[in-house]
Amino acid sequence: MADAEKKGNPVIETIKTVVYALLIAGVFRTIFFQPFWIPSGSMKNTLLIGDFLFVNKMAYGYSYASCPSVIIPRFGINLDAKSFCGFADGDNTRLFGGEPERGDVVVFRHPVSGRDFVKRLIGMPGDKVQVKGGVVFINGEAAPQEPAGIFEEVAAAQGPHRLRPRCANGPVGEGGTCNKELFTETLPNGVTHSILNIGTQRSDDTPVYTVPEGNYFFMGDNRDNSSDSRVPNAAGGVGFVPYENLIGRADRVMFSSAGRSMLFFWTWRSDRFFKAVN
């Protein structure tokens, strides 16, 4: 009898174990690293649909955006960071704040929808940013682009959302080779990274954007297939992103799956495991 009392009710013990595990996971996710699954192709070829990475939340310190979101549309659950930490929103400051660097690949919360986005940091506070003929100009100086060949992928539905890639070589039949022009872009601080070009479109020529203090200007590396700061958030884009909306820096792809689910092991991309994000 005494032994049974010491052991306690097994159901209650199991519940306590699950609760403790969830609390530990929640603390880890809030303070250190947040898992992030790439759902779209806006950051190709730096990040591919199906890449799984951990976001370094220590890089820029902490704000309301550091709190986790629980969004499960199938069950009608829509609890974003403001649902948990909205009391800390509005002052555009951070605890143990660190400044991001131009060229960082950053996960942030959309200023209006609250959804998580991942883009490359192009414009710093006070910068004047403009795109002319597909070339980024920062404070009047062009960010040079050097041809780097052709990016190839299969013209087929990708990821859980079954997104089809856009191709520079025109309409491509199912299973054909979809091409995009590949360039290496160099930002004013010397950071180099890959960008893709599909063709000429409206987003290749923009007005001059002056980035407000305490805000940042982001663009996708797949320049012709990215909703980013080139379009104001009032018009359905991202617009300027406040400092407090930054979640963390994407440093390394941990795992990658080209299929509809990470469980489909035959679709795993072994060459992307633990790949650094540049």
Side-chain angles (χ1 to χ4, degrees):
M1 188 73 175
D3 288 342
E5 289 178 354
K6 286 181 180 179
K7 291 181 180 178
N9 187 309
V11 174
I12 293 177
E13 291 302 316
T14 299
I15 293 174
K16 287 167 62 177
T17 300
V18 171
V19 170
Y20 291 152
L22 290 174
L23 286 174
I24 292 171
V27 170
F28 182 86
R29 189 176 187 273
T30 299
I31 297 177
F32 301 110
F33 298 96
Q34 175 177 319
F36 190 80
W37 187 274
I38 303 299
S40 74
S42 69
M43 282 296 293
K44 291 178 181 177
N45 65 332
T46 303
L47 297 172
L48 303 181
I49 295 175
D51 281 352
F52 180 82
L53 49 87
F54 281 101
V55 178
N56 182 355
K57 302 181 83 169
M58 298 176 285
Y60 310 135
Y62 306 96
S63 70
Y64 90 93
S66 302
C67 286
S69 297
V70 181
I71 300 173
I72 312 176
R74 181 182 302 178
F75 299 103
I77 299 175
N78 184 14
L79 301 173
D80 67 8
K82 286 188 178 181
S83 303
F84 298 105
C85 298
F87 63 89
D89 180 24
D91 58 1
N92 205 24
T93 60
R94 306 182 71 87
L95 183 65
F96 308 122
E99 291 295 328
E101 296 183 8
R102 194 191 311 275
D104 283 358
V105 176
V106 180
V107 175
F108 58 87
R109 298 211 186 281
H110 189 284
V112 176
S113 71
R115 294 294 191 265
D116 293 353
F117 273 53
V118 58
K119 306 289 179 186
R120 189 176 298 276
L121 176 53
I122 298 295
M124 307 294 286
D127 280 348
K128 295 184 182 298
V129 181
Q130 184 179 22
V131 182
K132 295 191 290 186
V135 177
V136 175
F137 285 75
I138 301 173
N139 299 321
E141 296 294 327
Q145 297 179 2
E146 294 293 332
I150 298 294
F151 172 76
E152 296 183 351
E153 59 185 334
V154 177
Q158 301 176 355
H161 301 302
R162 314 312 292 154
L163 301 176
R164 293 188 61 84
R166 293 177 56 208
C167 310
N169 54 330
V172 176
E174 183 72 16
T177 300
C178 177
N179 294 337
K180 297 177 179 64
E181 294 179 301
L182 180 65
F183 294 87
T184 299
E185 181 176 80
T186 302
L187 298 175
N189 60 344
V191 171
T192 61
H193 62 98
S194 297
I195 61 171
L196 300 181
N197 178 61
I198 299 172
T200 302
Q201 58 186 48
R202 286 183 60 185
S203 58
D204 288 337
D205 292 279
T206 73
V208 176
Y209 299 100
T210 301
V211 185
E213 289 300 319
N215 285 260
Y216 298 90
F217 189 98
F218 289 92
M219 294 178 67
D221 289 348
N222 191 0
R223 291 287 165 81
D224 295 334
N225 194 33
S226 174
S227 174
D228 51 39
S229 294
R230 288 172 288 180
V231 178
N233 54 54
V238 172
F240 303 122
V241 178
Y243 180 47
E244 66 178 352
N245 282 47
L246 308 186
I247 296 175
R249 186 180 63 220
D251 289 335
R252 190 171 296 274
V253 174
M254 305 302 294
F255 172 86
S256 186
S257 172
R260 299 186 65 173
S261 169
M262 63 183 296
L263 300 178
F264 296 171
F265 64 87
W266 58 91
T267 67
W268 292 354
R269 304 181 182 108
S270 59
D271 62 323
R272 296 188 66 78
F273 287 13
F274 308 110
K275 182 178 178 63
V277 176
N278 297 315

